[in-house]
């Protein structure tokens, strides 16, 4: 009996010493989910929303991001889509939203739909380029104001860049202004392709904004005018290895999203090939 008790105690102490390392190791090894921005398959989605989401899940995507048309769904349609996501075992971490969705007349409806879908972020997908700081301040104020409506329901606003936000003098770029003038809870969703086309360094941007790059649109780009955004993931000039290292080292990345403007293949085949290349680039199956 004393021997058994002593052994149990030693075993307990040994396990206790290992557990913190084990949990840390498990967390480090956990794969960051990859999803598809469904604008990539917009024609298929318009024809058959549920069938398209099912096809995307069968490819191996772990998440989807719905865009503007989702706002027209009824409550019943949103609940049915959530049931489908749950049945397929995939998530919708965020949605893309038009600027007017953030207006007082729409923001409550947006909140309710996103709660139904199980989202974490409500992303402002686009803002018309502004001519001066006052215009960009209005965008920052709109995002900050949205936190008051969204955060009590467990949601946070986000902002998705295009080329215009990365143009301008160093230190004066609209994207820098937005980062400085929005609350830390506002996600800065990095669209890689437009950042690179604008001549900016996405790795530097990630490192300059630790903890705020919680999702990334993995959009490829080629300087070849005949290709541009029509290349598959890995066929352009983007430094994906550097981006992954920065995003996972300091960016606070929670999930990746592949987005495609089109390619030499069909929408669904493009999505499938991009996912294969993405996983290969990360040493995943």
């Amino acid at each position: 009996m004393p021997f058994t008790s002593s052994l149990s105690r030693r075993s307990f102490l040994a396990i206790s010493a290992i557990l913190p390392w084990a949990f840390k190791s498990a967390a480090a090894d956990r794969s960051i989910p990859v999803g598809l921005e469904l604008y990539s398959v917009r024609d298929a989605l318009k024809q058959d929303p549920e069938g398209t989401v099912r096809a995307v899940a069968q490819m191996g995507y772990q998440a989807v991001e719905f865009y503007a048309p989702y706002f027209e769904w009824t409550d019943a349609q949103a609940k049915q889509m959530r049931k489908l996501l749950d049945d397929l075992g995939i998530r919708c971490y965020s949605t893309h939203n038009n600027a007017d969705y953030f207006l007082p007349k729409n923001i409550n409806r947006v909140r309710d739909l996103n709660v139904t879908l199980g989202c974490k972020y409500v992303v402002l997908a686009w803002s018309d380029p502004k001519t001066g700081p006052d215009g960009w301040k209005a965008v920052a104020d709109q995002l900050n104001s949205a936190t008051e409506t969204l955060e009590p329901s467990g949601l946070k606003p986000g902002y998705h860049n295009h080329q215009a936000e990365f143009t301008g003098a160093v230190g004066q770029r609209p994207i820098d202004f937005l980062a400085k003038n929005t609350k830390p809870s506002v996600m800065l969703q990095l669209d890689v392709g437009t950042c690179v086309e604008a001549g900016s360094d996405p790795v530097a941007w990630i490192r300059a904004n630790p903890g705020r790059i919680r999702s990334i649109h993995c959009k490829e780009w080629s300087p070849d005018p005949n290709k541009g955004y029509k290349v598959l993931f890995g066929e352009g000039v983007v430094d994906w290895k550097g981006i992954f290292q920065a995003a996972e080292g300091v960016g606070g990345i929670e999930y990746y999203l592949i987005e495609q403007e089109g390619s030499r293949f069909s929408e669904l085949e493009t999505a499938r090939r991009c996912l294969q290349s993405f996983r290969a680039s990360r040493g995943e199956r």
Side-chain angles (χ1 to χ4, degrees):
M1 190 70 172
F3 175 79
T4 304
S5 300
S6 177
L7 180 61
S8 298
R9 182 173 181 276
R10 287 199 300 270
S11 299
F12 173 78
L13 292 173
I15 292 171
S16 298
I18 291 172
L19 276 175
W21 175 88
F23 285 131
K24 182 177 181 181
S25 178
D29 292 342
R30 187 173 57 225
S31 177
I32 295 169
V34 56
L36 182 70
E37 161 53 59
L38 291 174
Y39 182 76
S40 307
V41 290
R42 52 197 173 278
D43 292 337
L45 189 71
K46 184 176 181 180
Q47 294 173 10
D48 184 2
E50 292 193 7
T52 301
V53 170
R54 193 179 299 276
V56 167
Q58 290 172 345
M59 292 177 194
Y61 282 98
Q62 298 157 290
V64 293
E65 184 176 67
F66 292 103
Y67 68 105
Y70 89 96
F71 184 73
E72 303 301 323
W73 293 349
T74 63
D75 289 343
Q77 287 174 313
K79 290 176 181 177
Q80 178 59 31
M81 185 58 74
R82 172 63 185 275
K83 182 180 184 303
L84 177 63
L85 296 176
D86 290 345
D87 290 346
L88 293 171
I90 63 174
R91 289 286 307 275
C92 177
Y93 293 105
S94 55
T95 57
H96 262 206
N97 300 267
N98 294 338
D100 61 355
Y101 293 7
F102 281 76
L103 296 177
K105 65 179 182 179
N106 292 324
I107 190 68
N108 288 337
R109 176 64 178 159
V110 167
R111 175 200 61 203
D112 294 346
L113 285 170
N114 278 266
V115 167
T116 297
L117 290 171
C119 297
K120 294 182 66 177
Y121 299 101
V122 179
V123 181
L124 177 56
W126 164 263
S127 179
D128 292 332
K130 316 301 181 188
T131 57
D134 288 346
W136 290 111
K137 185 177 185 305
V139 174
D141 290 345
Q142 187 177 39
L143 291 166
N144 289 333
S145 177
T147 63
E148 298 174 10
T149 301
L150 299 176
E151 290 191 350
S153 297
L155 298 164
K156 292 181 173 61
Y159 187 82
H160 179 87
N161 68 268
H162 290 80
Q163 294 92 331
E165 290 89 341
F166 278 100
T167 59
V170 175
Q172 301 297 316
R173 300 178 306 179
I175 197 68
D176 296 316
F177 180 91
L178 289 174
K180 182 179 179 181
N181 290 278
T182 50
K183 297 178 180 179
S185 60
V186 176
M187 174 177 68
L188 302 173
Q189 186 183 67
L190 172 60
D191 183 291
V192 173
T194 54
C195 173
V196 172
E197 185 188 12
S200 289
D201 181 354
V203 173
W205 167 246
I206 294 169
R207 294 194 180 282
N209 294 276
R212 297 195 63 182
I213 317 298
R214 297 171 210 134
S215 72
I216 289 178
H217 270 211
C218 298
K219 183 191 292 182
E220 186 63 89
W221 182 74
S222 168
D224 183 338
N226 295 317
K227 296 180 179 179
Y229 292 111
K230 304 294 184 180
V231 288
L232 299 177
F233 180 93
E235 292 183 347
V237 297
V238 174
D239 173 20
W240 293 111
K241 182 178 180 180
I243 287 171
F244 294 149
Q245 289 176 342
E248 294 166 32
V250 300
I253 190 73
E254 296 175 10
Y255 59 103
Y256 292 109
L257 292 162
I258 288 173
E259 183 186 19
Q260 261 288 339
E261 300 287 349
S263 79
R264 58 194 181 276
F265 302 102
S266 68
E267 287 181 340
L268 289 170
E269 180 63 12
T270 294
R272 186 185 70 81
R273 287 175 178 262
C274 283
L275 179 60
Q276 285 184 331
S277 297
F278 175 91
R279 293 204 181 282
S281 73
R282 295 174 58 75
E284 302 173 1
R285 291 185 176 182

